[in-house]
Structures are given as C-alpha cells and as structure tokens.
C-alpha cells in the first residue's frame, strides 16, 4: 500500500508481534471465539429440564414476595419468566466462531470501518437486572473484512449473557481482533444500568461508558480520535 | 347541575376526620331524587364513576346508570400483602428467594461458584424484595395525615414522576413517567404524597392498566376531588428485550375520573399541562 504512512507500518509490525506472541500462548489461552458456550448443542430434553427447573424457581419466588401465585395474571408467569430468562441468556448457546467463520472476506479496504448505535440488552451478573444501551465498533482492516451484520451478531452473543460491562466490551474487541486480525479495533459501550437506576443509588440519569482499544487504536492517538468522532453513539 | 351540587353539599357538611369512612358500612338513603337512579349508599358522582367504570370500559362518562352497583373494596384500606411482616418473616422471604435465584443460576448453565456470581443470589433476592416493596405499605398509611383543607379551585398537576415497576407476566422491568392531575374540592393532598402513592403502586408486580387505575382511585378516595386524571407512559423491557423486540415502542394508559371524564375541556387542559415529554 503506497499511501500507508510510516506510523501505521510500525503499527503493523507491532500487531504482528502480538500475534506471534499469541500463537505461542495459544495452547494455554483459550480463544474468545470459543468462550462461554455453556449451553452449546443441547438437546430438546435438556432444554426442557432447564425450563422446568426455572419454572419451579420462579413459582417459589412469586409466593415468597407475598403474591398470590394462583391469581389470573400470575398463573403462567413462572413459565413466561423462565422462557424470558433463557432468552436473555441465549448467548451461551452459540460460539462466536460458528457465527462469523464464513463471513470473512478478502478485501483491499484500508480505511476505518465503523458500525455504530448497535442496541444491546444484557443482564448484570451481580443482580440479574437488565442493563441496556448502545455499542460502537470500529476496526482498521488488514486485507480482510468481516460481514457487517456479523459484528452485530458478535455483540449480540456476548451481550445475551450474565455480564459485566467491562468484560463485555473486552470480549467484543478481542473477538473482532481474533476473527479478522485487523490493524486495530475500537469498541465503545454506553449503557444504562437498571440495577443503579431502579434500586441502590437510584441515579436516574447516569450512564456507564466503557471502551476497548486494541492495536492501532491503542497506539495511535489520531486513529483513536477518528474512531471517537465517527463512532459516537447517538443519545438515547 | 343541581343534583350534583346537592351531592357536594352532603360531603361539605360531613365531618372529615382521620377515621372517616368514605363508604359507610350501613347504607344511607339520599332523599333527593335523581333521574331513574337508586343509590344504595352515600357516594359522590366521582366514586360512582369509579364503580361503574369497573363494569364497563365505556369512555362516554355516562352517569345515569340503572344497573345496581357492585360494592368495590376501598383502595385506601386494601390490605398490603406484606404489611404485617416481622423481621423474621422478611428474612425467610429473602432466604427462599435466594435459593430460587441459586436454582436459576444453575439452570441457565452458569458456574455459580465463580467470583462474579458467588453473592449474586443474595443480591438478586434483596433487589427483588426492593422492587416489590409496594406490598409493605397500605395507601392509608402513606396518605393519611397530608390532607389539607384549602380553597384551591384550579387544577393541580404533578407531572413526569419517574416510575419503575415489574411486569407481572414476565417479571421483567417496565419504566417510564406518570403525570397526575386533579381538581380539588375544598381539600388538597400533599404533593409528595402523590408521588408516594405512585411509588407504592408501582413497586409491585403490575400491569400498566391496573397501575394507572389504582393511582387514580387512590387519589379519588383520599380527597374526593371533582376529578382525577392520570397518564402513564412506559417502556416495557419484556417487549424490547425479547418477544416482539420493538425497541422504540411505548405504552400509554390513562385514567380519567369525574370532570376529567365528562368535560373535554378539562381533559384537554390536563393533557397540555401534564404532557409527558419524550424520554
């Protein structure tokens, strides 16, 4: 690439070094692309078992809060809540590797690609209460690009789990890095945490922003700045 | 309307003390005649509307009904489900819910012994008890000493009260804003008590329609104003995070009692004063 600047060549080298290091550690460190597939490839009957166990738990919960679990509005609530909980944790049923592996393409693109304002809904692992917001993902391709909707799918898989926002951000960034090995990845996640709004500190307007900058985005301030401007999430 | 004024006269003369029962146990006959109406107890047009609205959901504000009215239990005196809890009972509840959450963590496939999840069942149980703390108070306790005699004749609106509730069908949060307005009839309610009424009803397993109605009825019973209006606008996570997955949708419900139901101008005034801005 004739028009690549000196600094990005250096970054290329740094990035390659990182990957050589990673390959050495591969045996010990498992890939984020395979991480967290706690319910992958489960049978129907196993799924039913999970549903039944959840139903029982929710039934006890309804009685324990003092409600009358026999009244019309609550009769089928354990079943609905169980299905809802399994849906909110469906990120455990797929590996990122399966989702992205056939959507990586060779492309001569060497400018930043940003997918922003991706809505996410996750469950905080400390209180099992939803947090939700927007994600912005940017990367500088290195001869390979990833299907755009796959970026959204990566976000979806990691967010539909019991999460901590910092970890979620890191996992998204690492997954993109491992999948296409770009020159750099940047991820910004901005969320409202209901566990902080509905209870506890009860701060209604507060939002939490976390970010992960890898490769070029970490070493090169200009690249980072470009991402922060292009990839700024709209307010919600 | 002459007959309406007579009704008001009855209530102006009656003593208003803390234990005044709005629906006396022994029915009294109202001696003045209404068109084809037989009343069984001393009810104002407003509370009669509350009762009749439970039979049909018509918006016509029709007061002249011939069907006998079924007695509705008082919203103010409704027994709170956890009102009589001792500390021991409360701890037992939290323990039972903690065990349930432990079961949930195991059933979804997670490793409940990892650091982030170790204390989660307990935290989640305490959070759930907090989200249902509306069961611990009766409305009468919340409201009782903040009713004042005041000559105010103009609309009082408390708007954009944030609410957070749990949908009783999925046990998933819904949240939004409430606007409450009423036209006082010689008595006003402490402003923060309006917010407290909203809070007590919303911190329960709820259905938005019922929540709206309960807020309106509580205020109507407490101070017997000329009318009450409540608008609730919420986002339901059960619809956004799952199911239909409609991210921008909101649900609006309203309850109009008394003059707010009968008089479109009054209703319009409330809607313009108490309108909920996009959030």
């Amino acid at each position: 690439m004739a028009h690549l600047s000196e600094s990005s060549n250096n970054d290329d080298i740094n990035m390659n070094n990182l990957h050589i290091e990673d390959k050495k550690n591969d045996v010990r460190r498992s890939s984020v692309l395979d991480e967290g597939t706690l319910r992958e490839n489960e049978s129907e009957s196993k799924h039913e078992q999970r549903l039944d166990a959840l139903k029982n738990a929710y039934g006890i919960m309804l009685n324990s809060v003092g409600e009358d679990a026999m009244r019309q509005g609550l009769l089928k609530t354990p079943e609905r809540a169980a299905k809802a909980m399994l849906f909110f944790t469906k990120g455990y049923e797929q590996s990122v590797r399966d989702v992205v592996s056939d959507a990586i393409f060779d492309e001569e693109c060497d400018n930043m690609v940003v997918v922003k304002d991706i809505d996410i809904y996750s469950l905080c692992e400390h209180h099992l209460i939803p947090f939700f917001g927007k994600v912005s993902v940017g990367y500088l391709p290195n001869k390979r690009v990833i299907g755009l909707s796959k970026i959204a799918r990566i976000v979806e898989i990691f967010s539909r789990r019991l999460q901590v926002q910092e970890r979620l951000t890191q996992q998204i960034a690492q997954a993109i890095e491992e999948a296409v090995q770009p020159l750099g990845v940047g991820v910004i996640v901005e969320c409202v945490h209901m566990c902080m709004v509905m209870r506890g500190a009860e701060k209604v307007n507060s939002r939490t922003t976390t970010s992960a900058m890898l490769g070029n985005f970490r070493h090169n301030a200009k690249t980072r700045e470009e991402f922060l401007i292009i990839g700024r999430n709209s307010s919600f | 309307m002459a007959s309406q004024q007579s009704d008001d006269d009855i209530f102006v003369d009656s003593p208003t003390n803390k234990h005044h029962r709005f629906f006396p146990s022994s029915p009294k006959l109202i001696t003045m005649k209404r068109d084809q109406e037989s009343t069984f107890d001393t009810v104002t047009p407003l509370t009669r509307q509350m009762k009749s609205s439970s039979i049909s959901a018509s918006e016509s504000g029709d007061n002249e009904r011939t069907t006998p009215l079924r007695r509705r239990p008082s919203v103010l005196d409704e027994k709170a489900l956890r009102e009589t809890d001792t500390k021991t009972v409360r701890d037992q509840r939290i323990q039972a819910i903690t065990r349930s959450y432990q079961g949930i963590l195991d059933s979804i496939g997670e490793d409940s012994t990892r650091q982030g999840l170790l204390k989660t069942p307990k935290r989640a149980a305490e959070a759930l008890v907090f989200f249902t703390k509306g069961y611990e108070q009766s409305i009468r306790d919340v409201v009782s000493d903040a009713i004042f005699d005041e000559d105010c004749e103009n609309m009082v609106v408390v708007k954009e009260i944030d609410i957070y509730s749990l949908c009783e069908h999925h046990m998933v949060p819904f949240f939004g804003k409430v606007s409450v307005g009423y036209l006082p009839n010689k008595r006003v309610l402490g402003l923060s008590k309006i917010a407290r009424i909203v809070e007590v009803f919303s911190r329960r397993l709820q259905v938005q329609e019922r929540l709206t109605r309960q807020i309106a009825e509580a205020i109507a019973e407490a101070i017997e104003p000329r009318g009450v209006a409540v608008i609730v606008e919420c986002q339901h996570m059960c619809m956004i995070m799952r199911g239909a997955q409609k991210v921008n949708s909101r649900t609006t419900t309203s309850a109009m009692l008394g003059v707010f139901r009968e008089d479109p101008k009054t209703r319009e005034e409330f809607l313009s004063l108490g309108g909920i801005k996009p959030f």
Side-chain angles (χ1 to χ4, degrees):
Chain A
M1 306 294 118
H3 55 279
L4 276 180
S5 68
E6 203 56 40
S7 57
S8 60
N9 268 340
N10 283 340
D11 288 335
D12 264 355
I13 295 169
N14 288 341
M15 199 68 185
N16 285 338
N17 281 345
L18 276 172
H19 283 296
I20 292 169
E21 288 288 316
D22 285 351
K23 285 195 174 61
K24 283 188 191 152
N25 293 333
D26 247 344
V27 177
R28 273 173 286 158
R29 209 187 67 177
S30 58
S31 160
V32 77
L33 295 179
D34 303 309
E35 203 177 287
T37 49
L38 305 168
R39 300 203 311 244
E40 200 177 14
N41 295 327
E42 279 192 349
S43 62
E44 260 303 305
S45 62
K46 183 74 184 160
H47 185 84
E48 286 298 319
Q49 273 176 10
R50 291 192 189 280
L51 262 180
D52 282 335
L54 286 169
K55 259 193 269 188
N56 284 336
Y58 277 112
I60 296 173
M61 225 186 282
L62 280 182
N63 285 321
S64 306
V65 296
E67 266 283 8
D68 168 20
M70 290 292 121
R71 68 175 172 86
Q72 189 210 36
L74 295 185
L75 261 183
K76 288 202 185 163
T77 292
E79 192 182 322
R80 285 184 290 240
K83 287 189 186 161
M85 180 53 83
L86 281 182
F87 183 88
F88 295 153
T89 52
K90 70 179 166 70
Y92 293 128
E93 290 169 11
Q94 274 187 306
S95 79
V96 174
R97 189 184 294 282
D98 291 338
V99 160
V100 305
S101 45
D102 55 351
I104 297 176
F105 307 104
D106 297 318
E107 197 65 46
E108 284 295 322
C109 174
D110 57 358
N111 286 299
M112 197 182 292
V113 178
V114 175
V115 181
K116 69 174 187 171
D117 288 338
I118 304 170
D119 292 307
I120 58 155
Y121 303 92
S122 189
L123 280 183
C124 119
E125 73 177 20
H126 298 145
H127 300 92
L128 299 184
I129 292 175
F131 68 92
F132 53 88
K134 291 188 190 267
V135 176
S136 227
V137 176
Y139 72 103
L140 264 173
N142 182 17
K143 309 281 200 300
R144 293 201 299 191
V145 298
I146 187 170
L148 296 172
S149 77
K150 296 298 185 264
I151 297 178
R153 280 189 187 270
I154 291 174
V155 169
E156 183 76 351
I157 289 180
F158 284 124
S159 62
R160 297 289 187 179
R161 297 180 176 182
L162 301 188
Q163 273 289 8
V164 161
Q165 192 177 323
E166 296 86 334
R167 185 194 316 134
L168 169 65
T169 315
Q170 194 65 25
Q171 284 174 322
I172 296 170
Q174 281 175 338
I176 308 257
E177 185 191 57
E178 282 194 39
V180 291
Q181 278 133 25
L183 298 175
V185 183
V187 176
I188 300 187
V189 178
E190 186 180 334
C191 285
V192 171
H193 289 247
M194 298 312 284
C195 60
M196 219 169 109
V197 168
M198 282 176 80
R199 60 165 287 289
E202 293 190 69
K203 294 299 178 190
V204 163
N205 297 316
S206 73
R207 290 154 190 224
T208 305
T209 305
T210 52
S211 58
M213 304 289 173
L214 303 178
N216 250 352
F217 286 69
R218 174 170 280 194
H219 305 307
N220 187 339
K222 286 282 178 191
T223 308
R224 192 159 62 245
E225 201 182 313
E226 185 183 341
F227 170 61
L228 290 172
I229 295 174
I230 300 180
R232 189 191 172 88
N233 285 320
S234 337
S235 61
F236 57 94
Chain B
M1 302 189 201
S3 50
Q4 207 161 354
Q5 264 178 341
S6 314
D7 262 356
D8 286 348
D9 286 342
I10 289 175
F11 267 86
V12 164
D13 288 335
S14 67
T16 51
N17 57 39
K18 202 172 169 180
H19 302 290
H20 177 70
R21 291 199 45 90
F22 298 105
F23 300 107
S25 47
S26 58
K28 289 182 194 154
L29 280 179
I30 295 180
T31 51
M32 44 125 211
K33 299 242 182 313
R34 281 178 144 266
D35 302 334
Q36 293 178 318
E37 190 93 51
S38 62
T39 50
F40 299 103
D41 46 22
T42 53
V43 290
T44 59
L46 178 61
T47 45
R48 180 181 299 116
Q49 248 177 28
M50 275 164 45
K51 292 185 169 193
S52 62
S53 73
S54 73
I55 294 175
S56 87
S58 89
E59 279 295 312
S60 61
D62 183 2
N63 255 351
E64 313 300 312
R65 290 183 189 277
T66 51
T67 50
L69 299 169
R70 132 176 95 83
R71 182 181 290 282
R72 265 179 88 82
S74 154
V75 168
L76 286 188
D77 289 321
E78 203 177 303
K79 187 172 182 312
L81 297 170
R82 301 204 309 242
E83 200 173 359
T84 51
D85 271 8
T86 58
K87 187 166 184 315
T88 326
V89 172
R90 190 174 196 275
D91 287 339
Q92 280 173 356
R93 290 191 193 280
I94 293 187
Q95 276 167 25
I97 302 175
T98 305
R99 283 193 294 270
S100 297
Y101 271 115
Q102 182 64 48
I104 289 176
L105 281 184
D106 294 327
S107 307
I108 58 178
E110 263 283 6
D111 168 19
S112 57
T113 56
R114 68 176 172 86
Q115 189 209 35
L117 295 185
L118 262 183
K119 290 195 185 167
T120 292
K122 182 97 194 301
R123 282 186 292 241
E126 293 190 344
L128 184 63
V129 167
F130 182 87
F131 293 153
T132 53
K133 69 179 166 73
Y135 291 129
E136 290 167 12
Q137 275 188 303
S138 80
I139 304 295
R140 192 178 283 288
D141 291 335
V142 164
V143 159
S144 50
D145 52 354
I147 296 175
F148 308 104
D149 296 318
E150 195 66 46
D151 233 341
C152 174
E153 288 201 351
N154 289 301
M155 199 181 294
V156 178
V157 176
V158 181
K159 70 175 188 173
E160 294 185 348
I161 304 169
D162 291 307
I163 58 155
Y164 303 93
S165 190
L166 277 184
C167 125
E168 73 178 20
H169 298 146
H170 301 92
M171 292 182 66
V172 170
F174 69 92
F175 51 87
K177 293 184 190 271
V178 176
S179 277
V180 175
Y182 70 98
L183 265 173
N185 182 16
K186 309 283 200 296
R187 291 200 294 215
V188 299
L189 182 60
L191 296 172
S192 76
K193 296 299 183 269
I194 297 178
R196 282 185 188 270
I197 290 174
V198 169
E199 183 77 351
V200 166
F201 282 124
S202 62
R203 296 290 188 179
R204 297 181 175 184
L205 297 181
Q206 273 288 8
V207 162
Q208 193 177 325
E209 296 86 336
R210 185 193 314 135
L211 169 64
T212 314
R213 182 179 53 75
Q214 284 175 318
I215 296 170
E217 286 178 359
I219 296 183
E221 266 196 59
I223 49 171
E224 290 176 329
R226 288 184 283 144
V228 183
V230 177
I231 295 192
V232 178
E233 187 176 323
C234 285
Q235 286 183 304
H236 290 249
M237 298 310 286
C238 59
M239 220 169 108
I240 294 178
M241 281 178 80
R242 58 164 290 289
Q245 296 197 53
K246 294 300 178 190
V247 163
N248 297 316
S249 71
R250 288 143 195 244
T251 305
T252 305
T253 52
S254 58
M256 304 287 171
L257 301 179
V259 294
F260 288 90
R261 175 173 284 196
E262 293 156 19
D263 183 1
K265 286 281 179 194
T266 312
R267 198 157 58 237
E268 205 179 305
E269 185 185 339
F270 168 68
L271 292 173
S272 73
L273 286 176
I276 296 175
K277 293 195 199 62
F279 54 91

